[in-house]
Amino acid sequence: MKKDVFALTLLTGLVGTYPVSASQPSHDLGYCMNENMTGEERKMLAKWIFFSMSECPEIKPYANVIELDKENANKYAAELITKLLTKDCVNEAKIAIQHEGKLAIQGAFQLVGSAAVEELSTNSDVIRTMSGFGKYLDQTKFDSILSE
């Protein structure tokens, strides 16, 4: 049970949409974790986030993720998170948890999740696809608010 609560805390930090006011120790922990991850590790973490979010009923029909890939991503994420919190950033984790408890982990993982997604957003195909909505914007409406 305790393991499930910890995992949920991590997941909430990675994909949570609510603002967490991160203290300095929580920010330091997130910074440490980002500094100790390679670009490839951030991409793998983003893949794990995508696989997890693909289970949402509104998204699931569009994502063709097989169970073996999800299981492998879960194992990878567990190993990475364990390494970051118990080896690479153990001192920062202890200090952050002393100051904020579980909220420290959530705040730090929001930073890590953002960095993981940002790693993908530098890809030219991703940029092209994400900017595709621009052709449907009503530019005159935006011109009116930008000129005031």
Side-chain angles (χ1 to χ4, degrees):
M1 177 69 174
K2 190 174 183 179
K3 191 175 187 178
D4 291 339
V5 172
F6 184 70
L8 184 58
T9 300
L10 293 177
L11 184 59
T12 303
L14 283 169
V15 298
T17 57
Y18 62 91
V20 171
S21 69
S23 68
Q24 189 62 44
S26 178
H27 183 271
D28 292 346
L29 174 58
Y31 182 80
C32 177
M33 290 188 301
N34 278 326
E35 288 296 304
N36 282 282
M37 289 173 60
T38 66
E40 186 61 28
E41 287 172 327
R42 281 189 282 277
K43 287 177 185 172
M44 293 294 290
L45 190 61
K47 181 167 72 171
W48 174 74
I49 293 169
F50 170 77
F51 286 175
S52 300
M53 296 189 81
S54 74
E55 289 297 310
C56 176
E58 291 82 9
I59 304 297
K60 196 168 188 162
Y62 304 104
N64 188 21
V65 182
I66 63 172
E67 288 302 315
L68 180 61
D69 288 341
K70 286 187 267 188
E71 193 61 28
N72 287 337
N74 280 331
K75 288 176 186 176
Y76 184 87
E79 289 172 10
L80 178 62
I81 290 166
T82 299
K83 177 182 87 74
L84 290 169
L85 290 177
T86 65
K87 181 181 175 219
D88 298 336
C89 302
V90 67
N91 293 330
E92 291 84 352
K94 286 178 181 180
I95 292 168
I97 290 168
Q98 285 173 351
H99 281 82
E100 285 187 276
K102 291 178 188 173
L103 285 178
I105 302 295
Q106 289 176 337
F109 272 92
Q110 277 192 330
L111 295 171
V112 170
S114 295
V117 171
E118 187 177 316
E119 189 75 34
L120 297 181
S121 67
T122 61
N123 176 279
S124 60
D125 293 332
V126 173
I127 293 168
R128 180 181 36 75
T129 301
M130 288 185 77
S131 31
F133 78 97
K135 63 185 170 190
Y136 301 106
L137 291 175
D138 185 339
Q139 190 60 47
T140 57
K141 289 181 179 177
F142 283 96
D143 289 344
S144 70
I145 64 167
L146 294 172
S147 63
E148 294 178 6

